[in-house]
Amino acid sequence: MKSIVAVSSKKQLATFIDFPHELYKSDPNYVPELFIAQKDLLTTHPFHKHSSLQCFLLYDDKQVIGRIAAILNNSHNEMNKVNDGFFGFFDCINDQSAANLLFDTASQWLKDKGVTGKVIGPTNFSTNESCGLLIQGFDMPPVVMMPYNASYYPGLLEGWGLRKQVDLIAWSFTGENYDDRSVKLMDRLEERLQRNDITIRKINMKNFKQEADSLREVYNKAWDKNLGFVPLNDEEFDYQAKDLKLVLDADFCLVAEKDGKLVGFGAAIPDMNQIQIKIKKGRLFPTGIFKLLFGKKKVKGIRILLLGVVDGYRKMGIEACIYGKIIKAYRAKGMEYAEASWTLEHNDLVNNAIIAIKGDPYKKYRIYEREI
């Protein structure tokens, strides 16, 4: 008999975090999330100071067969002047009745919180964090900080009545699709930018705090027109910047400046999932920490996870130039691949810049919605 339990104890939270390990134990492309990071996200992240969530576990007798989190993001609703709710951390066996029970429960929790608009997801907690359901590209592991799910998931969401809100594209770069023409294009773009007194430089890691303060301002301005965007407050941005600094390589973090003022930036990080995939159940202790520390030098790919240019400086080639310089740097380091992820399907400006340097749209993710 199926039953839903609202997560309220440390033991239940650990079960909630660990459930995907059992679900995907036979899937070679599954990458376990680090337990300590997931626990932190669900309990102490700055998000919890202004918004709320409730995790649920679905049991069939004593066996866990699904999980979901109902998420009330007050910042999103205030920013976009809506009254919507979200769901995230969704995992379930291939059983429509089980999925329906999870979605019904999350939806009811949101209604009880006063939500009257749409239920949207999956997002963990917003588009600033991991979001989207994989709908294309199931044949390889995800890169760092990107979601992964079984190919039957879209059917479960659509079976409950969820429909597409927007698709997110992940772009692949390999040695074969980054050629001399792409390099020449980037060089010409940079020369044109310099004639307009716009320079592109590496981030100053020795002055990271001051750089991060400027990046936060650009981030919130550059993404403010994106669908579903929620600006990060100071504490949230610092939280994310602190984590990224641990793996950041200055060659992969570039800023565009005009008269000493930041007008754009792009950042990539090593694809630590190459190591994380080998860490059983996402536990760093006793041996996982050594795999993480000593495996970093063996990583052969990167994820370009941030690119933004403030309004007034778009359509000048800054986007393509930053992408190109990051790709050029990863090639110089002997790496084998890069993924740029993600971009909105209708963001023609950025998508065309990626196409110009021969990015391949090889994976697709979808955010769904339904009237609550």
Side-chain angles (χ1 to χ4, degrees):
M1 182 176 178
K2 296 183 179 71
S3 60
I4 285 276
V5 173
V7 172
S8 60
S9 69
K10 290 182 179 180
K11 184 177 180 180
Q12 290 170 336
L13 181 63
T15 301
F16 182 90
I17 295 170
D18 285 341
F19 170 63
H21 308 326
E22 178 65 23
L23 186 66
Y24 290 102
K25 63 183 179 182
S26 300
D27 188 336
N29 294 321
Y30 171 68
V31 179
E33 295 281 4
L34 293 180
F35 180 86
I36 191 171
Q38 287 287 284
K39 182 180 178 181
D40 196 34
L41 186 64
L42 289 165
T43 57
T44 62
H45 188 283
F47 166 88
H48 300 283
K49 293 185 178 181
H50 59 74
S51 297
S52 58
L53 66 80
Q54 176 62 59
C55 298
F56 297 95
L57 286 166
L58 174 60
Y59 286 84
D60 188 354
D61 291 329
K62 295 182 179 180
Q63 182 178 358
V64 180
I65 60 171
R67 70 171 193 171
I68 199 169
I71 301 165
L72 180 61
N73 191 324
N74 292 319
S75 292
H76 172 274
N77 287 342
E78 291 168 11
M79 169 77 177
N80 295 284
K81 296 179 173 57
V82 293
N83 188 17
D84 296 334
F86 294 85
F87 70 90
F89 302 93
F90 170 77
D91 284 291
C92 187
I93 62 171
N94 191 6
D95 181 308
Q96 189 64 58
S97 65
N100 289 349
L101 188 51
L102 286 166
F103 290 126
D104 287 342
T105 301
S107 180
Q108 187 59 52
W109 185 88
L110 291 168
K111 287 180 183 178
D112 292 343
K113 289 290 184 179
V115 172
T116 58
K118 297 175 180 177
V119 56
I120 301 167
T123 65
N124 308 334
F125 309 112
S126 71
T127 54
N128 292 315
E129 289 84 28
S130 174
C131 63
L133 191 83
L134 182 66
I135 62 169
Q136 174 188 316
F138 297 96
D139 56 340
M140 62 188 72
V143 299
V144 63
M145 297 169 64
M146 287 295 286
Y148 178 76
N149 53 264
S151 59
Y152 63 80
Y153 275 39
L156 294 180
L157 271 66
E158 291 161 16
W160 187 68
L162 287 156
R163 295 293 177 262
K164 171 184 171 180
Q165 182 188 71
V166 68
D167 283 349
L168 316 173
I169 303 172
W171 304 80
S172 170
F173 298 93
T174 62
E176 292 74 33
N177 64 358
Y178 187 68
D179 56 18
D180 290 341
R181 180 181 173 276
S182 303
V183 175
K184 290 176 181 177
L185 171 66
M186 184 196 68
D187 290 342
R188 287 197 300 270
L189 286 173
E190 189 166 17
E191 289 171 5
R192 189 173 72 185
L193 291 173
Q194 289 172 348
R195 290 196 295 270
N196 287 287
D197 298 321
I198 295 173
T199 59
I200 294 177
R201 64 168 176 83
K202 299 176 187 178
I203 192 173
N204 184 351
M205 296 297 290
K206 293 182 179 179
N207 194 20
F208 186 79
K209 179 63 171 68
Q210 184 175 334
E211 293 272 48
D213 290 341
S214 299
L215 291 175
R216 177 173 58 245
E217 183 179 349
V218 172
Y219 179 84
N220 284 335
K221 286 182 178 178
W223 276 268
D224 66 344
K225 300 294 191 298
N226 277 359
L227 180 70
F229 175 74
V230 183
L232 293 173
N233 62 36
D234 292 359
E235 190 175 1
E236 288 171 320
F237 191 90
D238 290 345
Y239 180 95
Q240 295 198 5
K242 174 175 61 69
D243 285 349
L244 290 178
K245 187 181 179 183
L246 297 174
V247 294
L248 209 57
D249 181 331
D251 290 335
F252 297 140
C253 190
L254 306 174
V255 297
E257 284 184 324
K258 168 75 171 180
D259 300 327
K261 182 179 179 181
L262 264 61
V263 296
F265 77 98
I269 58 174
D271 181 16
M272 301 300 287
N273 274 9
Q274 285 192 354
I275 307 161
Q276 210 164 304
I277 198 171
K278 302 173 184 176
I279 299 176
K280 190 174 182 180
K281 294 188 176 181
R283 298 304 201 273
L284 288 178
F285 301 102
T287 59
I289 187 69
F290 297 106
K291 291 178 182 176
L292 206 58
L293 292 173
F294 295 116
K296 183 179 177 182
K297 294 180 180 179
K298 299 177 183 178
V299 171
K300 293 298 182 182
I302 59 170
R303 177 192 169 198
I304 307 171
L305 77 162
L306 293 171
L307 178 78
V309 177
V310 300
D311 197 18
Y313 293 90
R314 296 163 187 164
K315 300 184 179 180
M316 299 178 69
I318 293 174
E319 296 90 350
C321 197
I322 289 177
Y323 269 125
K325 289 177 79 69
I326 290 176
I327 300 300
K328 192 174 182 179
Y330 105 84
R331 291 290 306 283
K333 291 175 182 286
M335 292 186 166
E336 297 171 356
Y337 68 90
E339 177 178 300
S341 54
W342 43 263
T343 66
L344 289 166
E345 61 178 331
H346 56 257
N347 189 343
D348 294 336
L349 179 62
V350 172
N351 292 339
N352 288 337
I354 297 174
I355 291 170
I357 55 173
K358 296 196 172 181
D360 173 29
Y362 79 133
K363 288 187 180 183
K364 190 177 289 185
Y365 301 80
R366 180 165 293 171
I367 294 178
Y368 290 82
E369 65 179 17
R370 194 188 96 162
E371 296 295 328
I372 202 160

